[in-house]
Each structure stands twice: as structure tokens, then as C-alpha cells.
Amino acid sequence: MEFTVAQVAEVLHGTVEGDAELRINRLAKIEEAQAGAITFLANPKYEPQLYTTHATAVIVSRTLELRQPVAATLIRVDDPYSCFTALLEFYQQNARTGRRGVEEPAFMGPGSTIGDNPYRGAFSYIGENCVIGRDVLIFPNATIGDRCRIGDGTVIYAGAKIYADTVIGARCVVHAGAVIGSDGFGFAPQPDGSYRPIPQIGNVVLEDNVSIGANATIDCATLGSTIIREGSKIDNLVQIAHNVEIGRHTVVASQTGISGSTKIGDFCVLAGQAGLAGHLTLANRTTVTAQSGVGKSIKEEGVLLQGSPAFALRDSLRANAIFRHLPELERRVTALERNQSEQEKP
Amino acid sequence: MEFTVAQVAEVLHGTVEGDAELRINRLAKIEEAQAGAITFLANPKYEPQLYTTHATAVIVSRTLELRQPVAATLIRVDDPYSCFTALLEFYQQNARTGRRGVEEPAFMGPGSTIGDNPYRGAFSYIGENCVIGRDVLIFPNATIGDRCRIGDGTVIYAGAKIYADTVIGARCVVHAGAVIGSDGFGFAPQPDGSYRPIPQIGNVVLEDNVSIGANATIDCATLGSTIIREGSKIDNLVQIAHNVEIGRHTVVASQTGISGSTKIGDFCVLAGQAGLAGHLTLANRTTVTAQSGVGKSIKEEGVLLQGSPAFALRDSLRANAIFRHLPELERRVTALERNQSEQEKP
Amino acid sequence: MEFTVAQVAEVLHGTVEGDAELRINRLAKIEEAQAGAITFLANPKYEPQLYTTHATAVIVSRTLELRQPVAATLIRVDDPYSCFTALLEFYQQNARTGRRGVEEPAFMGPGSTIGDNPYRGAFSYIGENCVIGRDVLIFPNATIGDRCRIGDGTVIYAGAKIYADTVIGARCVVHAGAVIGSDGFGFAPQPDGSYRPIPQIGNVVLEDNVSIGANATIDCATLGSTIIREGSKIDNLVQIAHNVEIGRHTVVASQTGISGSTKIGDFCVLAGQAGLAGHLTLANRTTVTAQSGVGKSIKEEGVLLQGSPAFALRDSLRANAIFRHLPELERRVTALERNQSEQEKP
């Protein structure tokens, strides 16, 4: 994507000072910007950088008074920060997800339908009897199994794998390599010590506005559905086991694992590399800090947990503070013992 | 898949009470079942749900006496639970893995052979000189490198990546996105602090009835084979490094990592997010609890380990119980010190 | 790949003793070698195995004096170990990465160019306006987005996913299923508790000689670049968040996670399953042991860290040694209390 400064200024309702025909092809921070980049100045603290930046164009306030000559072309607007944010969103939508049409070869099985304005990348696969909404983007090498339903405006990035019978809402994002609907890890031990797979015939349901990170894995339910409710955000490499339910607007950071049948409430935050045992219930607004291991249900809302095994954050911080100095504590006990036995001597 | 109640009843050798022509397209728990679903009643505790369920059909015992009218059509059988389990297995085999034939385009290199009754999904890739058995299913976008051998009845799900020279036994399942045979992480430090890759030319061997979870990674051996023996089950996002050997019927839960050259015995259980250092040997029937870090070999069979670093589960539970109350222990020591110095005063 | 003993001997400038026309198709350790394998004997300790090995050929020293008859054909060379290492490298280059040409169908968008001597596997995808160097190998089902740049001699294994605008240097290796350039996990909380995605329009830059493990994930920067500098090696299933910078010749082992905007120095070692909080700086030559959780910046070079939360390795080892015996320490305190109260009795 490349635009002239004049084109950008027109979209932002700004006025140009300098060469309006210069070409812009990327956005950058003012301190990192090179030729071809557009940046912005909102915080007066950064004004000195305005006079040294290598950016081709800078979005500045209409009211800014220059104290030195500026090499870059300026676009003057009322609110530089919100204008730059608007450019960011425009850029992301156009550079990353602006592609439309069908690249051949792409596969769609019998009985499947897709709404208006799709992108189906080369080597993307849609099985049989799927119902896919409008403005859905399916990137190259993604695989969507039979009988899936996908809502309007959802983006499935390259190489994501969606098993049969998955239901995905509107405006969801599934990042590259994510796997949705793989078999739950359920095996029945046999008398000889071997394991027999328990059939896993449920599915996964993602409600609207859910985001799934790269190479995350979400298993289908044994029976029924593994569910991620509206607006929840799942980071890269997260594992969500069979029959888990995650509430609305909950955030799960990278490499966290949630074991089978656990229910997480709304507005929770699970930090990175945390682990949750199976069959737990976490109340709304529970926070689990990084690397914690949660083995018990939490009934009270708003609890903060830390440690492995996890308990209240405040208590955990205190216990850890003493843990670091355990050798000293042990020496103090030894000194007490020595003194006491001295005193006991006749 | 859709069947009439009559068709299902015939398969189960059951008798129908109600409308035998109703259509069924899914299986569900009695409390979650909606129209179109078939469910079952085995435990008398759930009998009240029989009178309120929205299921289209319910499998019940021949001897059940109804106390109220039932809206659903009934299928009476000798053993409702085992009939439902049989339906589950039938459903999984047909809905998930019932596809046969070759979807074009699919790639198979020169010198490769595949047995009868295969499924090769669109955009699946088989390299050169592979020997693949009968009833093997290779889902879309899966990649199988040169000279691989795959046994009868094995299922390779969408987008799995099998490197060259991998050997996979019969009736294995490799879930979507799993990577088998990537280079071991071996680098020789050079005098200038940089690293030179050590050639990794071994392979991976999965014996029969092995299951590999979604997005799990198994590195090839430097020389020789990384081996997973018969019947072992590996969960999603597990990492198995080069030259590891995992015994028979061992279970490795999600996000666990096993470092290079470690040997795990038979009938072991490694819970989620555990980590094992390299060059260890774990005896048969060792259990490692979640998030534990094992740094030493275990020679005795049947040991339970916990903690990072891990030691005996029983001792770990006791140490953790006191860890939580370290601040109190520290206060007790301070009180003792104060008392002792009081007593020492003349 | 298959060679005669004579062909191998010629490459190694060795002399053959035995049948020079036997065929060799693999390399093995002397104790594991079977028919068809070539192995070597360098360490005199293993000489007894020379007389029992099933290898077809063995590379030995010109000066070795046989004490018993040998079934295998011998290749005598000056330095058996370095000859075998050369064979390993030759084998890896030819067996794994020797393929050249374009397998159809492969996709390359308008405006993209690729240098001489490429491999483009079937179902591999290259977007628009990419600039790809010579001797680049792109395995089946790999996806490379628009405007990517890839240097000479780089290998992209099967099913790797490279998002648009990624820059990859020369002689890099990206293993199967790795995702490079997915959105950073950035969401702005809204007044109603929901989250709005923050546009992530930066990219990822891998410098020369970088290796990325299977199913690892590297997020793009929010603005600017997530950078992995020259020669650094990233293992399987590692998570690198947006705007992270990793210095030169740093090693990151499997399942480690690095949070947003953290900067790692040169020559660092992060062992497996470690976690680093966001916005940290780690000095050059920092070592983080397995499963550690680092929450603070490290300014001094050469520090070793352990634990979660992590502190100096030496202190951590001491604290852990006492942790194991906390129940005993607690009993000692109880005994002191009892004695003290005894003494206080009148």
C-alpha cells in the first residue's frame, strides 16, 4: 500500500505543510521513522524529535508552533493521536485483511455456502455442508471441516485447522496454526494397563468477537460443547481441554493450560504459563498470575491468585519473601537451639 | 449424518415406542439434549429428566416403568449405557473419520504407495518413496515427507507435518498441526560464542496405537530414533526432544516438555506442564504431577513426584503446607529470639 | 539416498577393505547399526563392537590393527570422527534439503520474485510483492504473506506460516508449523469491561543464521519490529510476544515464553519452560534455568537465575534445599517453644 501525503491529509481532514506529493508506505514511531514513513506528534515531550525525524510526514496539531525548521512534510489536524490511531486501524484492515476473492486452487465441498465478499486463499479447504457468513476471510492452507458454521466478518488466518462441527461467531479472529476441535484427551484405562480412547463427539463453540492466538489448541467436548463466550481473548499456544467453558470478556495469556471441564467466569485474567486443574469453577473477575497452578475452585469474585499451588496473591508474596531467606531463618533456629542448650546446662 | 429412530433401533436391536420416523442427527446428555438429539437413561437418578427432556429419542431399559407421559420416542434395549457407548463410537467413526477417496488436488511423489480404502484430503502432500498402509486417512493440508512408513488404520489430521524418514505404526492418531521429526535442538558452541548446528539425521518412530495431540512437537534423533512405544498417548502442545524414548502405555498431558535423551518407562503418567531435564531415566509407573520439574533419574517403580525441583509427592505436600505459613513461622522464630534475649538479661 | 561403499570411500579419500559394491542408505551409531548402515570407530573403547556390529560399513583409522575378523567392509581414513561428521552434514543436506524445483500446484502472487535454485513444494503459498533470495527452500503447505523478504539459503519447512511484511535473513531455518508475525496480544479495556483490539501493524525481523523451532510463535510488533538478531536459536513451542528483541547468539529452549517489549541481550541462555514478564531488559550472557519466572530486569552481565519468582541461582539452590525440609524446621521451632515455656515456669 502506498499513498501520497495529500491523500492521507484528505482522509484526515488535515492541511498539508510541505510537499504533498511525497509517497508514504508505512507507519512508525517518531523516533524510529525512516523515509517513506508517516508518524505523529501528540505529546509535547517528543517535540525535539520533530526536528530530527527521518519520517516523510508527521501528523501534528493545528496549534503547534514550530521553533525550528522541519524537514518532514506536516499534516495539521485537530487531534494527532486519534488521527494516527485511525490510520493504524485503516492500515491493518487494508494491509493484512484487505484481500478479497478466491485464489485457485481453493476447495469447497458439496452443500457448503459462503456469503458475499469473501477471501478464500489458495489451498484453503472448506468441507461439506458448512454455512459461512459474509465478509469472512479464509487465508491460504487453512482447513475447515464438515458442517462448520462461521459468522460474518470472521478472519481465519493461514494454516488454522478447524475440525468438523465447530461453531464460530461473528467478527472472531483465529490466528495461524490454531487448532479448534481436536479430540479431548480422554482414555479409559483397561485391565492390562493399556488405554482405550473414549469417543469425543462434542464440538467447540466460539461466540462473537472471540480471538484465538497462533498455534493455540482447543479440544472438542466429549459430549456437548467446549465454549468460549463473547469477547474473550485467547493468546498463542494456550491449551483449552474438552468441555471447558470460558466466560465473557476473559483474557487468557500465552502458554496457559486449562484442564477438562473447568469453568472460568466473566472478566477473568489468566496470565501466562498458568495451569488450571480439571473440574474447577472460577468466579467472575478472578485473576491468576503468571506460572501459577490452580487446584481448587474459587467462589468469591475478584480474587487474585499466585503460586503453584496457588493461593491468595498477598499471602503468596509474603511467603515468597521469606522463602528467599530460608537459609538465614534456618541459621536463626540453629542459634536458638544452641543458646537454649547452653542455658539448660547446669 | 442423519438417521431415523427406526434405523438406530434396528442397529441396537431395540424396540421403538413412539414415532419411529423422527430424524436424529446428534448425541447428547439427557439434560442438554435438544430436538434432533438422541440420549440415554441408565442411572435411575436421572429418571425425572426423562419426562422433561427435549431430546427426540431416548434409549431406555426394557424394564423401565414409566411414571409419567414422555414426549420423546423411546428405544428400549437391554443395556442403555453400552448401547449409547456403541452409538458414540459409531458416530465418531462416521462423522469424523468416515470420508474415503482422494480429493483433488492431492500430491503423491514418485515411488510412494498407499493401501486400500484411503482418504487423501485436498492439498495433502505425500513425498517420495513412502509406504502407507490400508485404511489410512490423511486430512487436508497434511504434509508427509519422503521415505515415511505409516501403518494400517492410522489417521493423520489436517495440517499435521511429518518429516522425512518417520515411521508410524498401525492405528495411530496424529492430531492437527502436530509436527513429527523436526530437527533436534543441538548446536555446538564456537570459540566466538556463536553456534553451529549439529546435523540431526535420525528419525522418529511411533509404534502401534500411539496418539499425538494437536500442535505437539517431536524432534528426530541426532542419530538413531526418538521412540514412542506402543499405546502411549501424548496430549496437545507437548514437546518431546531428540533421542527421547517413551515406554508403552504412558500418558503425557498437555504442555509437558521432555528434554533430549531422557527415557520414560512403561505405564507412567506425566501430568500437564511438567518439565523433564535431559539424559534422565524414569522407572515404570512413575507419576509426575502437574507443573513439576524433574531433574534426577528415578530408579524405583511407582514413585510419585511433585514440585520444581520435584521430590516425593508426600514430602512436597507437607513442605508446601508450611510454605504457605512461612510468615507465621518467621514470627514464631522472632518471638523465641526476643524471649531468649529477655531471659539472658541478668 | 543410496550409495556404494566405493562411492563413499572416494568422497572421504579412504581405502576400502572388503566388498566395495555393498550399498549404504543410512548412518548409525556402531552399537545400533543394522544392515545398510555405515558407522565409524574413533574411540578405542568401542573397538570390541567393531567385531560384532551389523553395520554394512565402518569408517576406521588407517592405523587400526584388527585383532579379530570383521564382517563389515572397512573404509580406512586419517580421522574417522571428522569423516563421519562430514558424512552427517552431507546426509542432512541431501536427504532433508536436497529437493529443488517447483512442485505443482504451488502459488506465487503477482510482483513476487524468487532467486535461482529454489524448492517450492506443492501447496506452498507466496503472496504478492515478496522478494526471496537464491537457494531458498519452501516446503509443502508453507504460507508466506505479502511483501515478505527472505534471504539466500533460508529453509522454510512444511506448514510454517509467515505473516505479511516479515523480513527473514540469510541461512535461517524456520521449522514446520512455526508462526511468524501473528498479531501481538494487545487489547484496550473498554468501560463496559470488554476489550477492543489494538491494531498491530509492525512486523518481525529475523537476522541471518536464526533458527526457529517447530510450532514456535513470534508476534509482530505493535509498531516497529519484533527482532531476533544474528545467530540466535529458538526451540519448539517458544512464544515471543510483540516488540520483543533478542540479541545475537542467544539460545531459547522449548516452551519458554517472553512477554511484550522485553529485550534479551547477546549470548544469553534461556532454558525450557521459563517465563519472562514484559518490558524487562536482560544483560548479555544472562542464564535463566528451566521453569524460572523472571519479573525484574538484570543489569549485570553473566547472572544465573532460578526459581519462580527467579533470583540468583546459588541462593535459590540453598533456599530450595531448606524448603524440602520445612516440616523438620517447623518441628524444631515447636520444640524450642516448648522448651522455652518449660523454662519460664516457675
Side-chain angles (χ1 to χ4, degrees):
Chain A
M1 286 201 317
E2 205 173 59
F3 300 94
T4 63
V5 175
Q7 287 171 320
V8 175
E10 192 180 339
V11 169
L12 302 178
H13 305 295
T15 54
V16 177
E17 288 179 22
D19 185 347
E21 293 314 305
L22 292 176
R23 303 188 79 79
I24 286 162
N25 58 26
R26 99 192 83 107
L27 290 80
K29 298 180 198 171
I30 196 164
E31 68 270 28
E32 294 175 352
Q34 299 296 324
I38 184 167
T39 184
F40 74 110
L41 174 66
N43 185 336
K45 186 173 82 174
Y46 292 103
E47 193 189 319
Q49 309 225 18
L50 179 62
Y51 309 113
T52 59
T53 183
H54 296 106
T56 292
V58 186
I59 302 169
V60 299
S61 168
R62 289 191 201 281
T63 61
L64 176 75
E65 292 181 21
L66 299 178
R67 294 184 239 177
Q68 297 179 31
V70 175
T73 294
L74 302 183
I75 302 177
R76 289 190 178 268
V77 299
D78 292 334
D79 180 348
Y81 181 76
S82 66
C83 279
F84 191 73
T85 302
L87 272 190
L88 280 175
E89 294 190 351
F90 175 82
Y91 184 92
Q92 183 170 53
Q93 277 159 28
N94 286 275
R96 279 239 169 144
T97 58
R99 193 75 61 85
R100 290 297 182 281
V102 180
E103 294 167 347
E104 293 296 346
F107 186 99
M108 188 158 73
S112 286
T113 61
I114 188 163
D116 291 345
N117 204 29
Y119 169 50
R120 291 170 52 207
F123 317 126
S124 66
Y125 179 97
I126 299 170
E128 303 179 356
N129 299 312
C130 292
V131 180
I132 300 180
R134 55 179 301 157
D135 298 307
V136 168
L137 313 184
I138 300 172
F139 277 69
N141 286 305
T143 302
I144 297 169
D146 299 340
R147 298 177 302 279
C148 288
R149 304 181 63 162
I150 299 182
D152 297 346
T154 283
V155 180
I156 310 289
Y157 278 104
K161 274 76 71 175
I162 319 282
Y163 278 62
D165 297 303
T166 300
V167 177
I168 299 182
R171 295 173 306 282
C172 290
V173 176
V174 177
H175 272 285
V179 175
I180 302 185
S182 39
D183 282 354
F185 195 64
F187 298 93
Q190 303 299 299
D192 65 353
S194 70
Y195 292 92
R196 185 178 171 187
I198 297 169
Q200 306 285 323
I201 70 152
N203 72 343
V204 174
V205 175
L206 309 184
E207 294 186 355
D208 296 343
N209 295 307
V210 165
S211 180
I212 305 296
N215 284 346
T217 56
I218 306 180
D219 282 348
C220 73
T222 307
L223 209 58
S225 299
T226 302
I227 302 176
I228 302 187
R229 298 206 186 280
E230 190 193 338
S232 283
K233 312 297 183 189
I234 310 299
D235 200 356
N236 300 346
L237 294 170
V238 165
Q239 149 75 353
I240 296 179
H242 57 95
N243 292 83
V244 163
E245 291 184 27
I246 294 184
R248 297 161 57 242
H249 308 299
T250 277
V251 172
V252 182
S254 181
Q255 297 179 320
T256 284
I258 305 176
S259 304
S261 300
T262 281
K263 317 290 178 212
I264 313 284
D266 301 338
F267 306 110
C268 293
V269 176
L270 310 185
Q273 298 183 333
L276 279 71
H279 297 276
L280 306 182
T281 302
L282 264 63
N284 295 340
R285 298 175 205 284
T286 302
T287 298
V288 178
T289 64
Q291 298 191 323
S292 296
V294 180
K296 291 185 179 167
S297 289
I298 301 295
K299 290 177 182 160
E300 195 189 340
E301 294 204 1
V303 169
L304 282 78
L305 295 170
Q306 192 188 53
S308 174
F311 49 100
L313 174 62
R314 192 178 193 175
D315 297 338
S316 174
L317 290 173
R318 287 176 178 164
N320 271 300
I322 295 174
F323 172 77
R324 278 169 174 257
H325 299 104
L326 271 184
E328 189 192 317
L329 187 66
E330 202 270 343
R331 281 192 295 273
R332 288 165 63 190
V333 172
T334 303
L336 282 162
E337 289 167 339
R338 200 174 299 131
N339 280 353
Q340 207 173 65
S341 67
E342 297 271 325
Q343 291 177 17
E344 283 170 359
K345 286 178 187 163
Chain B
M1 286 203 318
E2 205 173 60
F3 300 93
T4 62
V5 174
Q7 286 171 320
V8 174
E10 192 181 338
V11 170
L12 302 179
H13 304 295
T15 54
V16 178
E17 288 179 23
D19 185 345
E21 293 313 305
L22 291 176
R23 302 188 81 78
I24 286 162
N25 57 26
R26 101 193 80 106
L27 290 80
K29 298 180 199 170
I30 195 163
E31 67 271 27
E32 293 175 352
Q34 298 297 323
I38 185 167
T39 185
F40 74 110
L41 174 67
N43 185 335
K45 185 174 83 173
Y46 292 102
E47 191 189 321
Q49 308 224 20
L50 178 63
Y51 308 113
T52 59
T53 183
H54 296 105
T56 291
V58 186
I59 302 169
V60 299
S61 168
R62 289 190 201 279
T63 61
L64 176 76
E65 293 181 20
L66 298 180
R67 293 184 241 176
Q68 297 178 31
V70 175
T73 294
L74 302 182
I75 302 178
R76 289 191 177 268
V77 299
D78 291 334
D79 181 348
Y81 181 76
S82 67
C83 279
F84 192 72
T85 302
L87 272 191
L88 280 175
E89 293 189 353
F90 175 83
Y91 184 92
Q92 184 171 51
Q93 277 159 26
N94 286 275
R96 279 240 169 145
T97 59
R99 192 74 62 85
R100 288 298 181 281
V102 180
E103 294 167 347
E104 292 297 343
F107 186 98
M108 189 158 72
S112 288
T113 60
I114 188 163
D116 291 345
N117 203 27
Y119 169 51
R120 292 169 51 207
F123 317 127
S124 66
Y125 179 97
I126 299 170
E128 302 178 356
N129 300 313
C130 293
V131 179
I132 300 181
R134 56 180 300 158
D135 299 307
V136 169
L137 314 184
I138 301 173
F139 277 70
N141 285 304
T143 302
I144 297 169
D146 298 341
R147 300 176 302 279
C148 288
R149 303 181 63 162
I150 299 182
D152 296 345
T154 283
V155 181
I156 310 288
Y157 278 105
K161 274 78 68 175
I162 319 283
Y163 278 62
D165 298 303
T166 300
V167 177
I168 300 182
R171 296 173 306 281
C172 291
V173 177
V174 177
H175 272 285
V179 175
I180 301 185
S182 39
D183 281 355
F185 195 64
F187 299 94
Q190 304 298 299
D192 65 352
S194 71
Y195 292 92
R196 184 178 171 186
I198 297 169
Q200 305 285 323
I201 70 153
N203 73 343
V204 175
V205 175
L206 309 184
E207 294 187 353
D208 296 343
N209 295 307
V210 166
S211 178
I212 306 295
N215 284 347
T217 57
I218 305 180
D219 283 348
C220 72
T222 307
L223 210 57
S225 300
T226 303
I227 302 175
I228 302 186
R229 299 208 186 279
E230 190 194 338
S232 283
K233 312 297 183 188
I234 310 298
D235 200 358
N236 299 346
L237 294 170
V238 165
Q239 149 75 356
I240 296 179
H242 57 95
N243 293 82
V244 164
E245 291 184 26
I246 294 184
R248 298 163 57 242
H249 308 300
T250 277
V251 172
V252 182
S254 182
Q255 297 180 320
T256 284
I258 305 175
S259 304
S261 300
T262 281
K263 317 289 178 212
I264 313 283
D266 300 338
F267 306 110
C268 293
V269 176
L270 311 185
Q273 298 184 334
L276 279 71
H279 298 275
L280 306 182
T281 302
L282 265 64
N284 295 340
R285 298 177 204 283
T286 303
T287 298
V288 178
T289 64
Q291 297 192 325
S292 296
V294 181
K296 291 185 180 167
S297 289
I298 300 295
K299 289 175 184 163
E300 194 188 342
E301 294 205 1
V303 170
L304 281 77
L305 295 170
Q306 192 188 53
S308 174
F311 50 100
L313 175 63
R314 191 179 193 175
D315 297 337
S316 174
L317 290 172
R318 287 175 179 164
N320 270 301
I322 296 173
F323 172 78
R324 278 170 175 255
H325 299 104
L326 272 184
E328 189 191 317
L329 186 66
E330 201 269 345
R331 279 192 296 274
R332 288 164 62 190
V333 172
T334 304
L336 283 162
E337 288 167 338
R338 199 175 298 131
N339 281 353
Q340 206 173 65
S341 68
E342 295 270 326
Q343 292 176 18
E344 282 170 359
K345 284 178 191 165
Chain C
M1 286 203 315
E2 205 174 59
F3 301 93
T4 61
V5 175
Q7 287 171 321
V8 175
E10 191 180 340
V11 169
L12 302 178
H13 305 295
T15 53
V16 177
E17 288 180 22
D19 185 346
E21 293 313 306
L22 291 176
R23 304 188 79 77
I24 285 162
N25 58 26
R26 99 193 82 106
L27 291 78
K29 299 180 199 170
I30 195 163
E31 68 269 29
E32 294 176 352
Q34 298 296 324
I38 184 167
T39 185
F40 74 110
L41 173 67
N43 186 335
K45 185 174 84 174
Y46 292 103
E47 192 189 320
Q49 309 225 16
L50 178 62
Y51 308 112
T52 58
T53 183
H54 296 105
T56 292
V58 186
I59 303 169
V60 299
S61 169
R62 290 192 200 279
T63 61
L64 178 75
E65 293 180 20
L66 298 179
R67 294 185 239 176
Q68 297 179 31
V70 174
T73 294
L74 302 183
I75 302 177
R76 290 192 178 267
V77 299
D78 291 334
D79 181 347
Y81 181 75
S82 67
C83 279
F84 191 73
T85 303
L87 273 191
L88 281 175
E89 293 189 353
F90 175 83
Y91 184 91
Q92 184 171 53
Q93 276 159 27
N94 286 277
R96 278 239 168 145
T97 59
R99 192 75 61 86
R100 288 298 182 280
V102 180
E103 294 167 346
E104 294 296 347
F107 186 98
M108 187 158 72
S112 288
T113 61
I114 188 162
D116 291 345
N117 203 28
Y119 169 50
R120 292 170 52 209
F123 318 127
S124 66
Y125 179 98
I126 299 170
E128 302 178 357
N129 299 313
C130 292
V131 179
I132 301 181
R134 56 179 302 157
D135 298 307
V136 169
L137 313 184
I138 301 173
F139 277 70
N141 285 305
T143 302
I144 297 169
D146 299 340
R147 298 177 302 280
C148 288
R149 304 181 64 162
I150 299 182
D152 297 346
T154 283
V155 180
I156 311 287
Y157 278 104
K161 274 76 70 173
I162 319 283
Y163 278 62
D165 297 303
T166 300
V167 177
I168 300 182
R171 297 172 306 281
C172 291
V173 176
V174 177
H175 273 284
V179 175
I180 302 185
S182 39
D183 282 354
F185 196 63
F187 298 94
Q190 304 298 298
D192 65 353
S194 70
Y195 292 91
R196 185 178 171 188
I198 297 169
Q200 305 286 324
I201 71 153
N203 73 343
V204 174
V205 175
L206 309 184
E207 294 186 356
D208 296 343
N209 295 308
V210 165
S211 178
I212 306 295
N215 284 346
T217 57
I218 306 180
D219 283 348
C220 73
T222 308
L223 210 58
S225 299
T226 303
I227 302 175
I228 302 187
R229 298 207 187 280
E230 190 194 338
S232 283
K233 312 297 181 189
I234 310 298
D235 199 357
N236 299 347
L237 294 170
V238 165
Q239 148 76 353
I240 296 180
H242 56 96
N243 292 84
V244 163
E245 290 184 27
I246 294 184
R248 298 162 56 242
H249 308 300
T250 277
V251 171
V252 182
S254 181
Q255 297 179 319
T256 284
I258 305 176
S259 304
S261 299
T262 281
K263 317 290 179 211
I264 313 284
D266 301 338
F267 307 110
C268 293
V269 176
L270 310 185
Q273 298 184 332
L276 279 71
H279 298 275
L280 305 182
T281 302
L282 265 65
N284 295 339
R285 299 176 203 283
T286 303
T287 298
V288 178
T289 63
Q291 297 192 323
S292 295
V294 180
K296 291 185 180 166
S297 289
I298 301 296
K299 289 175 185 161
E300 194 189 341
E301 295 204 0
V303 170
L304 281 78
L305 294 170
Q306 192 188 54
S308 174
F311 51 100
L313 174 63
R314 191 178 192 176
D315 297 339
S316 174
L317 290 173
R318 287 176 179 164
N320 271 302
I322 295 174
F323 172 77
R324 278 171 175 256
H325 300 104
L326 272 185
E328 187 192 320
L329 187 66
E330 202 269 345
R331 280 193 296 273
R332 288 163 62 190
V333 172
T334 303
L336 283 162
E337 289 167 338
R338 200 175 297 131
N339 281 353
Q340 205 173 65
S341 68
E342 297 271 329
Q343 291 176 16
E344 282 170 0
K345 284 180 189 164

